[in-house]
Amino acid sequence: LSFRTIALDMTTKDGAMSSFLTSDQNRKGSPNENYAREFMELFCLGTAAIDGTPNYTQADVQDLARAFTGWRLNQTPGSPGYGTVSFGGSSYFDAGTKTILGQTGKFTAAQAVDIVLAHPGHAPFLIRKLWAEFISGPIPQASLDALVAAYTAGGSLRLRPVLRGILTDPIDREMVRSINEIGHLTGKLVIAEFAENQEIIQTLASENSDGSIHSFIGPPGQPDPTETILRFADTNNFKVFLGLYM
């Protein structure tokens, strides 16, 4: 699963996101900056780099919002497409020239997403956030560099190599967050299997009546403890995990 897929889908397909961050109100001639701002601040860049250098300006937010216009949320209860997002065409999309993070052009939503994800601050920002979900201490620079390289290799922005790197990083195991700290079923499964604690794994599996956890965590004695989260990272449910914790 690529983070680019997640970023583009939540911009152009996610009805809940459209409603929650009011991107359904973002249209040509009347841009709504809410989603564009949060896209950079919460999901992709953060407001500033570690040294305090701003990652974007208000002008970037304004033009990113313009690039994100055109996507309409069906809010008619009972209609076949209720709750879905679709492109509304030229009546809603601002096709004019925009300048986003130093690049100028008549950008669409997909092109604007790519510009944000190409920002040098994106990979370190995302990796630090993922690291903090599993490890209590700050990420060592060598680990950050290695994970950034894995994430950006070939421009793929794939999450699986990053999660494998985090879960197999040679850190003090006492720094791994406890089950209660993570506080999410997926997090519990990750730590349980990482610790090779089959008793916890089977207890958690028995909590799920439809058996989906059994198929997810695999049989007892799974040889590679990272496979739990890695399998999860290849599913659309990972978007929910990111939404809850990021």
Side-chain angles (χ1 to χ4, degrees):
L1 181 64
S2 167
F3 187 79
R4 182 187 185 276
T5 300
I6 294 175
L8 186 57
D9 282 1
M10 69 183 185
T11 302
T12 63
K13 295 182 180 181
D14 194 320
M17 184 71 76
S18 176
S19 177
F20 183 65
L21 290 180
T22 59
S23 58
D24 59 310
Q25 301 174 23
N26 185 30
R27 62 195 68 184
K28 180 173 67 174
S30 182
N32 183 299
E33 300 172 5
N34 193 19
Y35 177 72
R37 187 182 310 280
E38 303 295 12
F39 184 79
M40 290 193 286
E41 179 178 343
L42 296 182
F43 302 129
C44 297
L45 298 178
T47 56
I50 293 297
D51 64 3
T53 303
N55 281 327
Y56 57 87
T57 67
Q58 173 60 21
D60 292 320
V61 173
Q62 292 171 340
D63 276 7
L64 183 63
R66 292 176 57 217
F68 286 166
T69 56
W71 297 93
R72 313 303 303 140
L73 174 64
N74 185 328
Q75 301 184 68
T76 305
S79 69
Y82 179 57
T84 63
V85 176
S86 60
F87 188 64
S90 59
S91 295
Y92 296 96
F93 175 63
D94 184 340
T97 301
K98 303 113 179 163
T99 298
I100 303 170
L101 300 176
Q103 298 191 46
T104 299
K106 296 182 178 182
F107 300 125
T108 63
Q111 291 169 325
V113 165
D114 286 341
I115 289 171
V116 174
L117 297 187
H119 188 286
H122 165 63
F125 171 79
L126 180 66
I127 288 166
R128 283 191 176 97
K129 295 199 79 168
L130 287 173
W131 177 277
E133 293 304 327
F134 299 101
I135 312 297
S136 61
I139 185 171
Q141 187 62 47
S143 298
L144 178 62
D145 293 344
L147 291 170
V148 166
Y151 177 62
T152 58
S156 64
L157 305 188
R158 290 182 64 238
L159 293 163
R160 186 182 178 95
V162 174
L163 294 169
R164 179 179 292 280
I166 292 173
L167 293 172
T168 59
D169 193 270
I171 59 166
D172 183 346
R173 287 297 103 195
E174 292 184 359
M175 292 174 63
V176 176
R177 288 193 180 278
S178 70
I179 291 172
N180 288 333
E181 281 182 297
I182 292 177
H184 185 278
L185 180 58
T186 301
K188 292 176 182 179
L189 288 168
V190 171
I191 300 305
E193 191 157 329
F194 191 82
E196 297 182 308
N197 189 327
Q198 294 300 325
E199 180 180 353
I200 295 176
I201 292 173
Q202 294 309 314
T203 298
L204 291 168
S206 67
E207 293 176 359
N208 196 61
S209 58
D210 66 10
S212 61
I213 294 181
H214 285 281
S215 63
F216 175 66
I217 66 172
Q222 177 73 35
D224 184 352
T226 66
E227 286 305 312
T228 295
I229 188 61
L230 297 180
R231 280 195 297 275
F232 183 62
D234 282 336
T235 71
N236 285 333
N237 291 330
F238 190 60
K239 299 175 187 178
V240 178
F241 178 76
L242 290 176
L244 287 172
Y245 285 98
M246 299 180 66

